[in-house]
Amino acid sequence: MLRDRVIGQMFAALSATNEAILRTPSPEDLYRSVCEAAVDGGGFVAAAILLESDRELHPVAGAGEAYKVLRRCRIETSSSAAEGRGLAGEAFRTGKAIVTNDFQSDPRLQLWHPLAVAIEIRAAAAVPIRRRDCTVGVMLVYLSEPNAITPDVVVLLERMTDNIRFALENFDKAEELRSVEYARNRLSRMYASLSAMNEAVLRAKTLDEMFSLVCDAASDSGRMFGSAIFLHDERSTNLQLVACAGKQNHLFRETSLPYDADGPALGLHGPALRTGKPVICLDPKHDPRARPWIDLINKGGVTSLGFFPLFRGECAIGVFLFSCRDTDDFQQDGESLDLMARMAQNITFGIDMFAEHAEREKLARMLGALSDTNEAILRAKTRDELYPLVCEASARGGQFNSTTIFVANSNKDHLEVVASLGPVGDHARELKIPVRGDRPEVHGLAPSAFRTGKCCVANEFQRDERTAFWAREEQENRFGSFFSSSRRRR
């Protein structure tokens, strides 16, 4: 009679479990529904599901009044401790159902005898729960009547846990499908961004416009939280922000990125520039290299940063920054990183394209200046008339900050200005430069060209040791480079 009643209740519990599998949206809801079905339909005084973590079995769901007491019990997976030699520990280790029909007298359960007497538990069973061929926990059920758990009941309990396994593996498959779909959508956005960037590179009329358009493309089409382009400027100790886009992009403008080509590679941008390779940070909140971005991280919720070097020719001149709220954008697969790298390569292509165009324009201006200079030589009637005409032609056509002609004084110990034109021409006309002696000016380009009779060039005016004196004196006039040539009278 007892056997038939228990089996009938177990079939009811099994049916309720199957219904729970069909309608529960998560493993947590499933565990709770199965325990409730076991107590309400199966007639158990308590049911619990325990999952393994750190070599202990922790309750994650339960039902029945006795569960409130049982959930406080400590259960280990190892048999070396008394807490691991009960039904749950043995079931977890062996992968088999373990039963007792006389809980209060079973020597294996001596540790829990007082508790069993207090809450009137007489029979219990522990059945392992598997997930993808691994035991991950156990289901525990308790009855108030002895000898109530027969082999038929154990079979039904094993069917319940097998249904749990089936449901858990379906949850895993659904999660995998969601991950695949998410990855597919993410890559589609990235490809759309790459396409928009290609169009931006081809459509932009200026370099600044290209930078702005590619940042918009990365942030809008690629659904990035934000993107920015920083370039190295020889006249500054910080990288210069030239374009940014995305949410809270004002935070990019408030960020300072120090960079010294000869010093240590600071932050995340420094190694990217120094090595010419991307630098990815998946935990910027705890990475000291990401300290300049702390406001972007805290206020914007950014969880990952990527710095991709930009080149002009073979030289790294800046970085393209991606900021994301989803770490998967950088680490789930290599394809996303490849697409980001291709975006940076397209920007590099645009930089080179505009640089070549600028070189062609510069050459055309120089040829125009040379033509105007030749015309001035033909037109001038005197030397005093010739000098200003030549300066005017070269300053206008070559777009120099200043074009100046120096002539040695009668003693040939100084160079004196005889003509100077251009935006800083007024300042240049005040110069008088010694050509010999110990003064620092003597080592400059103009005295060197006069003494050697050869052209002298400095393309890094602020860093060239020959122009160190003039760099300090003339920094406010923003001379980026300085050219000096000498022409001897024949």
Side-chain angles (χ1 to χ4, degrees):
M1 185 69 179
L2 172 64
R3 173 183 174 276
D4 293 341
R5 178 170 59 80
V6 172
I7 290 177
Q9 291 171 333
M10 281 301 303
F11 270 111
L14 184 61
S15 176
T17 300
N18 293 338
E19 182 180 348
I21 289 172
L22 294 175
R23 59 185 172 81
T24 52
S26 67
E28 293 74 21
D29 291 327
L30 173 67
Y31 298 145
R32 185 176 62 253
S33 297
V34 168
C35 290
E36 290 172 354
V39 172
D40 297 337
F44 294 103
V45 295
I49 289 180
L50 293 76
L51 297 183
E52 189 274 336
S53 176
D54 297 329
R55 291 180 292 186
E56 291 188 6
L57 292 170
H58 301 278
V60 295
E65 287 298 319
Y67 172 67
K68 298 176 182 178
V69 178
L70 293 168
R71 68 183 301 178
R72 295 196 293 268
C73 295
R74 180 166 168 265
I75 301 176
E76 294 192 10
T77 59
S78 172
S79 61
S80 60
E83 292 85 353
R85 292 195 285 269
L87 303 183
E90 187 176 350
F92 182 84
R93 289 191 302 273
T94 63
K96 298 178 180 179
I98 305 298
V99 176
T100 180
N101 274 304
D102 189 6
F103 196 110
Q104 296 179 13
S105 301
D106 194 320
R108 298 172 299 174
L109 307 174
Q110 186 175 0
L111 183 66
W112 296 281
H113 283 173
L115 182 63
V117 172
I119 57 178
E120 299 182 352
I121 289 176
R122 303 298 298 273
V127 186
I129 296 173
R130 300 181 69 80
R131 188 174 193 173
R132 295 199 172 188
D133 299 324
C134 295
T135 302
V136 296
V138 296
M139 180 178 180
L140 276 170
V141 292
Y142 301 92
L143 284 164
S144 59
E145 297 168 319
N147 303 310
I149 303 178
T150 64
D152 293 334
V153 172
V154 172
V155 170
L156 292 174
L157 286 171
E158 288 174 337
R159 284 178 62 181
M160 287 181 69
T161 56
D162 193 55
N163 288 348
I164 294 173
R165 176 197 59 77
F166 174 79
L168 291 177
E169 291 180 358
N170 279 343
F171 284 130
D172 291 340
K173 291 175 183 177
E175 182 61 32
E176 288 173 1
L177 287 174
R178 282 193 294 270
S179 297
V180 169
E181 185 64 24
Y182 174 79
R184 186 183 295 117
N185 290 337
R186 188 181 72 250
L187 288 176
S188 295
R189 294 195 304 267
M190 294 291 290
Y191 274 110
S193 179
L194 181 61
S195 178
M197 290 183 70
N198 293 341
E199 182 181 347
V201 170
L202 296 175
R203 188 160 52 90
K205 295 181 175 59
T206 66
L207 194 58
D208 289 339
E209 183 184 8
M210 185 195 76
F211 289 147
S212 179
L213 288 174
V214 297
C215 285
D216 288 339
S219 298
D220 294 339
S221 301
R223 298 295 189 271
M224 294 290 176
F225 178 76
S227 59
I229 295 175
F230 291 84
L231 296 183
H232 181 214
D233 187 339
E234 292 285 350
R235 296 167 295 183
S236 174
T237 57
N238 293 318
L239 297 185
Q240 302 299 300
L241 176 67
V242 296
C244 62
K247 300 173 183 177
Q248 297 191 21
N249 60 14
H250 65 279
L251 296 174
F252 291 118
R253 298 188 180 94
E254 297 169 4
T255 302
S256 176
L257 299 181
Y259 181 72
D260 181 356
D262 300 322
L266 302 175
L268 297 163
H269 59 283
L273 271 171
R274 189 67 57 81
T275 65
K277 297 179 180 179
V279 174
I280 308 300
C281 178
L282 300 178
D283 187 16
K285 196 166 188 177
H286 301 100
D287 193 327
R289 300 175 301 168
R291 193 167 299 146
W293 304 101
I294 196 65
D295 283 345
L296 188 71
I297 296 162
N298 291 335
K299 296 178 182 178
V302 168
T303 60
S304 52
L305 296 167
F307 291 79
F308 292 77
L310 301 176
F311 296 86
R312 179 180 292 154
E314 299 296 323
C315 180
I317 61 166
V319 291
F320 186 32
L321 163 64
F322 291 96
S323 62
C324 304
R325 281 177 163 172
D326 190 343
T327 304
D328 285 347
D329 286 335
F330 287 108
Q331 69 177 8
Q332 186 158 333
D333 54 57
E335 195 166 359
S336 293
L337 287 177
D338 289 343
L339 286 173
M340 292 179 188
R342 285 171 62 182
M343 291 180 190
Q345 290 167 6
N346 286 353
I347 298 174
T348 291
F349 171 79
I351 291 172
D352 287 340
M353 182 179 68
F354 279 104
E356 289 177 9
H357 180 69
E359 286 296 324
R360 287 195 297 269
E361 285 191 339
K362 182 178 179 181
L363 180 60
R365 289 197 307 268
M366 291 300 295
L367 290 173
L370 180 60
S371 178
D372 290 345
T373 300
N374 292 337
E375 183 181 346
I377 291 172
L378 295 173
R379 260 192 313 121
K381 297 180 175 59
T382 65
R383 187 180 300 156
D384 292 338
E385 186 180 351
L386 171 66
Y387 292 148
L389 288 174
V390 170
C391 285
E392 180 181 2
S394 56
R396 182 180 63 249
Q399 295 186 356
F400 296 114
N401 283 12
S402 176
T403 304
T404 302
I405 296 177
F406 293 91
V407 173
N409 64 357
S410 57
N411 295 328
K412 294 188 178 182
D413 56 3
H414 279 80
L415 296 177
E416 297 178 348
V417 176
V418 294
S420 182
L421 286 176
V424 294
D426 291 341
H427 178 76
R429 278 191 285 272
E430 299 172 3
L431 298 176
K432 184 178 288 188
I433 305 175
V435 295
R436 293 178 180 83
D438 297 329
R439 293 174 59 178
E441 305 96 301
V442 171
H443 305 291
L445 301 184
S448 298
F450 178 79
R451 290 193 303 270
T452 63
K454 295 180 181 179
C455 175
C456 294
V457 178
N459 278 315
E460 294 189 16
F461 188 84
Q462 304 294 333
R463 300 164 65 90
D464 196 310
E465 61 181 16
R466 298 170 300 169
T467 56
F469 172 81
W470 297 108
R472 291 191 297 270
E473 292 291 317
E474 306 297 336
Q475 190 171 12
E476 63 185 33
N477 293 305
R478 297 192 177 183
F479 291 162
S481 62
F482 195 92
F483 173 92
S484 182
S485 65
S486 173
R487 181 171 297 277
R488 296 188 184 275
R489 292 180 184 171
R490 296 178 183 261

